Amino acid sequence: MKKIILGALAGLSALALSSTAFALESVVVGGVEATRIVIAPPQNPLATTIRQGLREAVDAAPNGSRSQTDARQLYYFYGARHFEPLWLTEDQDGTIAFSAKAQDVIELFEDAHLQGLDPDDYLTAELDVQAAAGDPQALAALEGAFSAAMLRYAQDAHSGRLDPRTVSGYIDTAPKRIDESALFDALAAADDPADVLMSYHPTHREFVALRDLLARHYAGEIEAPIVIGEGKLLRPGMTDLRVPALRERLGVSAPEDETLAPDLYDETLVAAVEAFQGELGLNVDGVVGPATVAALNGANGATIPDIVANMERWRWMPEDLGDFAVLVNVPEFRLDVMRDGHSAWNTRVIVGTVKNQTPLFSDLIRHVVTNPYWNVPSSILRNEVMPRVLSNPGYIASQNMELLSGGRAVDPWSVDWTQANPNQFRVRQRPGTSNALGQVKFLFPNSHDVYLHDTNARGLFARSMRALSHGCIRVQDPFAFAEALLEYEPGITVAALQSTLGGGERWFNMEREVPVHIAYFTLRVGEDGKVRSYGDIYGHNARVIEMLGM
């Protein structure tokens, strides 16, 4: 039978119904099975006051807002229990106070900074039990405010304090929502509601490692790091005012020869820098550039704001990354094939420039394509290709490209470019050694038209700073990546892919779609416990710190 929801909300017709209401019962109306929300009447003056306060909270919240949704959920939850309080107790003499369970939660709120959260977000002025003493209406409001604070804590712990999309238009990650019904059911039934709230924090290994690192900072176990300032490239034999700090950071003594300049970048310091670069997986060239400076400044554990900002971004990640998945960390210029949370294979990647940033999102790799066409994105077509075509129609052929209109190839020389609208055309590059996508690409269809692919400019992987593409992600060793990616794929082998090279475009559809996560972490904690830092190439980290008010 068709099911409907009936509103049994006496005196509350302005409230919109929610499919996630807490108290439901099945009834039959006119032969139709229905589900209705049950609001049980209060049975004492305190409960009556709680009901009134919760109704006023719903009415006061902006329509369609998160605060209205949260207020409505609280109303339904308390309505199912006759609006009896959970967090307040009343002695025989009428004294009302926080319960022991509530006190445990308050302690959790007080230590929220140890979880990368802000205690002031939960310990608000509304939770002042002394100020509410003797005022039943204030105590009722306090009960609702306490539950609202727990809801806010659980939501922040689960998905972060910021909507990722407000940090940058290149971040395509919607906030995760918790199941309010399940939360309040668990809180009401728990002997220790603080443990329930703690369970909403991520359990990813690196999140936990960052949280432990944060606790060490607050405990004073980690000294303030020696910060190497930004500057021009520092090459062997040069002098630079940053050299003394660099020596201190790497534990290299000043030269014994006092006639030498104290800020000389000498051979001993160069050797120490090269050793550090090798340990961190950077280019071992002895040149102190942005990537090396970022690694030097982060290897001591970075700062509290840096740690908290990276923890925030871990909260944005899917709760389950997948037993077998691909993780691309943009600031690190690195791709990992992850198995059971550990890196099974990795390689270097090239990502988008600051102007053409690689977007951040999660998806599923579904296809492998050999000998791919490169469909030139509209931005590149408009800004780079068409200006050249207008002055020289032969540019299309010189780049192994073809001009298309209405799905058909068109000779560029046959077009009157003084009259034609360039927007009516598209351009694609044919397969071949000059193709910008190289020999193979890995597709996870998405609105950004971003994917992983080979490249015809492999020399660029030798650079430390590899924000060089138009947004797609170039993979250094694409066929080794294919072998790692297709480990559990029964129908596709690397040999089969390579046997098609040099021919026309070939599509291979994967039976086991593999999760891919394009992420942005400027701090990583390895399985060896070492903290590694990477440059904030797009400014996302600084923006998160700013928005969190740190």
Side-chain angles (χ1 to χ4, degrees):
M1 286 183 292
K2 179 181 179 182
K3 290 189 176 183
I4 61 174
I5 294 182
L6 300 179
L9 306 177
L12 200 62
S13 59
L15 284 178
L17 293 181
S18 167
S19 61
T20 58
F22 296 91
L24 304 174
E25 72 174 7
S26 296
V27 296
V28 177
V29 180
V32 178
E33 183 180 348
T35 302
R36 70 178 179 182
I37 301 167
V38 177
I39 302 299
Q43 297 178 329
N44 57 62
L46 179 58
T48 299
T49 307
I50 288 174
R51 179 184 66 176
Q52 182 62 31
L54 292 173
R55 286 173 58 173
E56 291 175 355
V58 175
D59 292 338
N63 287 332
S65 66
R66 170 179 169 178
S67 59
Q68 185 187 59
T69 300
D70 293 347
R72 186 182 299 133
Q73 295 298 334
L74 285 174
Y75 185 90
Y76 292 153
F77 173 71
Y78 279 96
R81 47 181 287 112
H82 295 273
F83 297 95
E84 288 296 324
L86 271 173
W87 316 118
L88 298 177
T89 59
E90 186 173 6
D91 294 339
Q92 291 183 347
D93 62 1
T95 301
I96 299 176
F98 275 130
S99 66
K101 290 182 179 181
Q103 291 291 349
D104 290 340
V105 173
I106 289 173
E107 292 180 9
L108 179 70
F109 290 167
E110 290 172 342
D111 290 337
H113 62 290
L114 298 177
Q115 308 297 325
L117 303 177
D118 186 350
D120 290 342
D121 288 342
Y122 320 107
L123 295 172
T124 64
E126 297 172 305
L127 301 188
D128 188 344
V129 70
Q130 292 183 346
D135 183 344
Q137 189 164 357
L139 288 167
L142 187 149
E143 170 78 22
F146 196 83
S147 289
M150 287 192 292
L151 174 59
R152 190 180 310 116
Y153 183 98
Q155 186 66 58
D156 290 350
H158 183 61
S159 62
R161 288 180 276 168
L162 304 176
D163 182 335
R165 297 165 297 187
T166 65
V167 174
S168 169
Y170 288 99
I171 302 178
D172 187 10
T173 303
K176 298 174 291 185
R177 292 293 297 173
I178 65 172
D179 184 335
E180 293 97 338
S181 172
L183 169 65
F184 282 111
D185 285 346
L187 289 172
D191 292 330
D192 189 346
D195 279 349
V196 173
L197 294 176
M198 279 295 294
S199 71
Y200 280 85
H201 290 287
T203 57
H204 303 306
R205 181 192 64 79
E206 286 195 67
F207 176 88
V208 174
L210 286 171
R211 182 170 61 190
D212 292 343
L213 182 65
L214 182 66
R216 291 173 58 203
H217 269 276
Y218 278 118
E221 298 175 10
I222 298 178
E223 296 181 2
I226 299 167
V227 177
I228 310 300
E230 300 291 341
K232 296 180 179 179
L233 291 179
L234 178 57
R235 302 181 185 276
M238 296 175 62
T239 58
D240 192 294
L241 294 177
R242 298 174 294 169
V243 164
L246 192 59
R247 288 185 183 280
E248 185 180 1
R249 169 65 187 83
L250 295 174
V252 177
S253 301
E256 295 181 1
D257 187 348
E258 296 181 356
T259 64
L260 296 177
D263 53 0
L264 174 66
Y265 187 33
D266 61 12
E267 293 181 359
T268 304
L269 186 54
V270 171
V273 168
E274 289 177 343
F276 176 81
Q277 289 173 328
E279 184 180 355
L280 270 290
L282 302 170
N283 286 343
V284 182
D285 55 12
V287 177
V288 180
T292 299
V293 169
L296 286 164
N297 288 339
N300 278 355
T303 64
I304 286 176
D306 283 328
I307 297 170
V308 171
N310 279 272
M311 290 174 67
E312 174 77 7
R313 291 193 294 279
W314 270 111
R315 299 183 201 275
W316 301 347
M317 297 292 286
E319 189 172 358
D320 182 5
L321 300 179
D323 295 335
F324 186 71
V326 173
L327 175 66
V328 177
N329 187 31
V330 171
E332 191 176 0
F333 309 117
R334 170 174 162 141
L335 176 152
D336 285 270
V337 175
M338 307 293 294
R339 186 189 301 118
D340 298 324
H342 304 280
S343 177
W345 184 87
N346 67 81
T347 190
R348 292 184 170 196
V349 296
I350 292 171
V351 300
T353 63
V354 174
K355 181 179 179 181
N356 301 288
Q357 298 180 19
T358 295
L360 311 180
F361 62 100
S362 296
D363 213 306
L364 294 169
I365 300 177
R366 298 175 169 89
H367 315 285
V368 182
V369 182
T370 57
N371 310 307
Y373 279 95
W374 177 42
N375 294 296
V376 180
S378 58
S379 60
I380 300 176
L381 185 65
R382 179 176 59 254
N383 298 324
E384 300 180 26
V385 175
M386 278 308 179
R388 291 182 171 89
V389 174
L390 293 176
S391 60
N392 175 24
Y395 175 79
I396 293 286
S398 72
Q399 301 300 309
N400 193 33
M401 293 177 175
E402 57 185 9
L403 185 71
L404 302 174
S405 179
R408 300 177 59 183
V410 176
D411 182 357
W413 291 98
S414 68
V415 178
D416 182 357
W417 293 107
T418 63
Q419 302 293 325
N421 181 359
N423 295 328
Q424 295 176 341
F425 300 91
R426 64 185 185 90
V427 173
R428 66 178 183 178
Q429 191 175 40
R430 300 182 185 91
T433 56
S434 64
N435 189 283
L437 304 185
Q439 296 178 304
V440 61
K441 65 180 179 180
F442 307 86
L443 297 184
F444 36 103
N446 58 84
S447 62
H448 308 284
D449 199 24
V450 164
Y451 40 88
L452 298 160
H453 66 84
D454 185 18
T455 177
N456 61 352
R458 295 183 177 87
L460 297 177
F461 288 105
R463 300 186 183 183
S464 290
M465 210 295 291
R466 295 190 293 277
L468 304 168
S469 80
H470 284 87
C472 283
I473 302 163
R474 307 176 194 174
V475 182
Q476 183 175 29
D477 193 339
F479 286 103
F481 169 56
E483 185 172 6
L485 176 72
L486 301 173
E487 179 178 356
Y488 301 107
E489 186 63 35
I492 310 174
T493 65
V494 172
L497 297 177
Q498 292 178 324
S499 69
T500 68
L501 298 182
E505 185 176 82
R506 287 284 303 275
W507 282 61
F508 296 82
N509 299 323
M510 297 168 58
E511 291 185 22
R512 175 170 176 166
E513 298 173 342
V514 178
V516 56
H517 310 286
I518 306 175
Y520 194 94
F521 297 113
T522 56
L523 286 181
R524 302 294 304 274
V525 183
E527 295 186 31
D528 58 2
K530 290 185 178 179
V531 181
R532 295 168 173 82
S533 178
Y534 304 96
D536 186 15
I537 56 175
Y538 297 158
H540 295 336
N541 192 65
R543 177 64 174 152
V544 169
I545 291 173
E546 177 189 4
M547 293 179 69
L548 290 177
M550 302 190 70

